[in-house]
């Protein structure tokens, strides 16, 4: 390995909470940005014991660096969705309009290049690795379609959801069709190990949805339950996609573990910040209604942290905020607590772990872009 660093955290559900970080000010968004900024100004050399291996290269913009490999991404996805029925085609194309940031495919192609360079200094992304990026975006989009049906959501990415336009039944079928097309593309890669790795994602998505439907009365069990759900619903796709491209590009199992751990930690951090934004971002900016999780009866990180300061929230959590006034009261408790700050700090810790992992690969622009990506995850506002 290029840099062993400090020992890896192998438990994907360990809570990195580090005690009380102080109360929030009334301006939650400003505090969030200030907290993250202080984290960014921490010396990178503190993130890895082998600081001499850290490249002096200027950080690379992940989206600029990955643009070449993602060119025509959505056109290629639409080719996988060839169907004669006009209505089904229109539904399948609805979210693949090229307006998304392609966050997951971008991580996948950057990881592919970083692993290829680490192994044999190859700077090209293999066709099979790019296929993994396409498949990851298709699985992700299919899961969004199904989630919107389950949640009876009316907006996604700033526009109406499929279930609002075409109805629940047709939306479910459209999600199924996208998932089946992804499975066909996966089989075409012709590697049974890759099939096994990526089908784990589909299983995790289903298990994560079931976890989200349940609650735990014990506070410690509740947080572990939340992090496990977060891993399965969000991080598993990123972790296993990163692992898949590392397997295709490098025979070293240690590299496969690095790729997986990076993706897992970034994925969990991404969702933690998403849960923070549900309390700090306006609906127009986020592209979906704020307080959406509370209205769905979900206790996310900010709520669980707030519950430690306001134990009266326990009853609301167990009844899933179903009584009149529960959502409003819970919202106020979160904003009066340090729940947003604690959740943000927890996301920082996961990004710290992701950075520690990726720095074990040989220096490359792609490696540095993946480091920079952890900062972008923390600083995003939608």
């Amino acid at each position: 390995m290029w840099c062993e660093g400090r020992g890896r955290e192998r438990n994907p559900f360990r809570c990195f909470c580090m005690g009380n970080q102080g109360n929030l000010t009334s301006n939650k968004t400003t505090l969030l940005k200030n907290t993250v900024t202080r984290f960014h100004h921490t010396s990178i050399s503190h993130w890895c014991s082998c600081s001499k291996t850290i490249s002096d290269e200027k950080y690379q913009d992940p989206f600029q660096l990955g643009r070449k490999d993602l060119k025509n991404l959505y056109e290629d996805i639409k080719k996988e969705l060839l169907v004669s029925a006009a209505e089904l085609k229109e539904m399948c194309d609805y979210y693949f309009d090229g307006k998304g940031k392609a966050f997951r495919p971008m991580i996948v192609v950057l990881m592919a290049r970083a692993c290829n360079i680490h192994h044999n200094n190859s700077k090209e992304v293999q066709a099979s690795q790019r296929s993994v990026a396409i498949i990851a975006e298709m699985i992700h989009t299919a899961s969004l379609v199904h989630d919107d049906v389950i949640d009876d959501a009316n907006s996604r990415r700033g526009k109406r959801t499929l279930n609002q336009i075409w109805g629940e039944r047709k939306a479910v079928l459209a999600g199924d069709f996208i998932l089946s097309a992804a499975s066909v593309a996966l089989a075409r890669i012709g590697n049974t190990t890759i099939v096994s790795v990526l089908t784990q994602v589909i299983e995790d998505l289903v298990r994560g949805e079931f976890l989200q439907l349940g609650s735990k009365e014990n506070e410690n069990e509740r947080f572990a339950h939340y992090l496990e759900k977060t891993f399965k619903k969000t991080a598993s796709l990123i972790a296993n996609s990163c692992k898949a491209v590392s397997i295709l590009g490098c025979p070293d199992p240690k590299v496969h573990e690095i790729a997986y751990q990076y993706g897992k930690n970034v994925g969990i951090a991404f969702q933690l910040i998403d849960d923070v934004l549900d309390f700090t971002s306006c609906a127009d900016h986020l592209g979906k209604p704020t307080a959406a999780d509370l209205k769905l009866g979900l206790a996310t990180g900010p709520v669980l942290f707030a519950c430690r300061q306001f134990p009266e929230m326990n009853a609301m959590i167990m009844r899933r905020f179903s009584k009149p006034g529960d959502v409003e009261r819970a919202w106020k408790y979160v904003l009066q607590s340090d729940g947003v700050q604690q959740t943000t700090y927890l996301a920082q810790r996961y990004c710290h772990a992701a950075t520690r992992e990726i720095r074990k690969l040989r220096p490359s622009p792609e490696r540095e872009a993946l480091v920079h990506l952890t900062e972008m995850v923390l600083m995003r506002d939608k």
Side-chain angles (χ1 to χ4, degrees), residues 4 11 33 35 44 49 52 110 129 139 150 160 180 228 234 236 240 258 264 277 304 320 332 344 363:
E4 289 300 330
N11 185 347
K33 291 182 178 179
T35 301
I44 292 294
S49 60
K52 290 182 181 179
L110 289 176
Q129 291 174 317
I139 293 174
I150 293 170
R160 295 175 68 195
S180 68
E228 184 179 5
T234 302
S236 175
N240 284 293
I258 289 169
K264 178 203 75 176
L277 291 174
L304 297 178
R320 299 179 72 85
K332 290 179 180 178
T344 303

Side-chain angles (χ1 to χ4, degrees), residues 66 69-70 104-114 125 130 133:
D69 298 312
L70 297 181
R104 289 156 188 81
M106 183 264 297
I107 291 179
V108 172
V109 295
L110 289 176
M111 181 62 73
R113 283 183 175 273
V125 172
R130 188 175 183 277

Side-chain angles (χ1 to χ4, degrees), residues 22 52 59 65-66 74 89 92 116 120 141 206 240-241 243 250 262 266 302 305 307 312 316 340 360 362 374:
K52 290 182 181 179
Y59 276 163
L65 202 56
Y74 290 107
K89 184 180 187 309
C92 290
N116 294 352
N120 59 10
T141 302
V206 175
N240 284 293
S241 298
K243 181 178 180 179
C250 177
Y262 174 86
V266 165
F305 278 120
C307 187
E312 52 267 45
M316 287 188 281
V340 165
K360 295 171 185 176
R362 294 178 184 275
T374 65

Side-chain angles (χ1 to χ4, degrees), residues 163-181:
N163 47 292
Q164 286 292 315
I165 300 173
W166 284 280
E168 290 186 356
R169 292 183 180 182
K170 289 182 178 179
V172 169
L173 293 174
D176 289 346
F177 183 77
I178 295 170
L179 199 56
S180 68

Side-chain angles (χ1 to χ4, degrees), residues 2-278:
W2 191 255
C3 172
E4 289 300 330
R6 291 188 288 272
R8 285 201 296 276
E9 174 56 61
R10 292 186 177 275
N11 185 347
F13 313 126
R14 179 184 174 188
C15 177
F16 287 115
C17 317
M18 300 296 287
N20 194 332
Q21 298 301 308
N23 291 325
L24 289 176
T25 65
S26 60
N27 189 330
K28 301 296 169 179
T29 303
T30 299
L31 177 62
L32 171 62
K33 291 182 178 179
N34 288 344
T35 301
V36 175
T37 299
R38 286 197 298 272
F39 180 75
H40 288 167
H41 289 167
T42 301
S43 172
I44 292 294
S45 64
H46 293 163
W47 291 10
C48 179
S49 60
C50 299
S51 59
K52 290 182 181 179
T53 67
I54 295 175
S55 171
D56 291 329
E57 293 180 79
K58 185 178 179 180
Y59 276 163
Q60 300 285 332
D61 180 348
F63 292 96
Q64 287 289 341
L65 202 56
R67 179 175 296 177
K68 173 186 173 184
D69 298 312
L70 297 181
K71 185 178 180 181
N72 300 323
L73 173 76
Y74 290 107
E75 287 78 2
D76 290 341
I77 288 176
K78 290 177 181 179
K79 290 176 183 177
E80 299 288 347
L81 296 169
L82 284 177
V83 59
S84 57
E87 186 177 40
L88 180 57
K89 184 180 187 309
E90 185 180 2
M91 293 174 70
C92 290
D93 289 351
Y94 188 67
Y95 286 142
F96 298 118
D97 56 7
K99 295 180 181 179
K101 287 189 176 181
F103 176 76
R104 289 156 188 81
M106 183 264 297
I107 291 179
V108 172
V109 295
L110 289 176
M111 181 62 73
R113 283 183 175 273
C115 291
N116 294 352
I117 290 171
H118 177 85
H119 174 53
N120 59 10
N121 207 32
S122 172
K123 297 181 180 180
E124 296 301 318
V125 172
Q126 301 172 22
S128 58
Q129 291 174 317
R130 188 175 183 277
S131 292
V132 171
I134 289 174
I135 292 163
E137 185 69 359
M138 294 174 73
I139 293 174
H140 171 61
T141 302
S143 73
L144 295 184
V145 174
H146 287 155
D147 277 355
D148 288 342
V149 172
I150 293 170
D151 299 340
D152 193 26
N154 55 28
S155 66
R156 168 76 67 178
R157 296 175 177 171
K159 59 184 182 180
R160 295 175 68 195
T161 56
L162 283 177
N163 47 292
Q164 286 292 315
I165 300 173
W166 284 280
E168 290 186 356
R169 292 183 180 182
K170 289 182 178 179
V172 169
L173 293 174
D176 289 346
F177 183 77
I178 295 170
L179 199 56
S180 68
S183 300
V184 171
L186 176 58
R188 199 183 303 126
I189 293 176
N191 185 312
T192 56
T193 301
I194 302 303
V195 170
S196 177
V197 169
L198 291 182
T199 52
Q200 180 64 48
V201 173
I202 300 173
E203 178 183 336
D204 284 344
L205 284 168
V206 175
R207 290 184 181 274
E209 197 62 54
F210 271 96
L211 285 170
Q212 184 164 285
L213 295 174
S215 298
K216 294 288 184 181
E217 190 164 354
N218 179 276
E219 183 179 311
N220 292 329
E221 289 182 1
R222 190 184 292 153
F223 215 103
H225 182 93
Y226 165 65
L227 289 177
E228 184 179 5
K229 181 270 297 180
T230 297
F231 170 77
K232 291 187 181 300
K233 283 202 66 178
T234 302
S236 175
L237 173 60
I238 301 174
N240 284 293
S241 298
C242 286
K243 181 178 180 179
V245 292
S246 74
I247 292 171
L248 290 167
C250 177
D252 188 349
K254 292 182 180 179
V255 173
H256 307 163
E257 180 69 4
I258 289 169
Y260 178 87
Q261 292 293 331
Y262 174 86
K264 178 203 75 176
N265 283 291
V266 165
I268 293 176
F270 185 94
Q271 185 58 51
L272 290 172
I273 295 299
D274 201 62
D275 294 341
V276 164
L277 291 174
D278 201 43

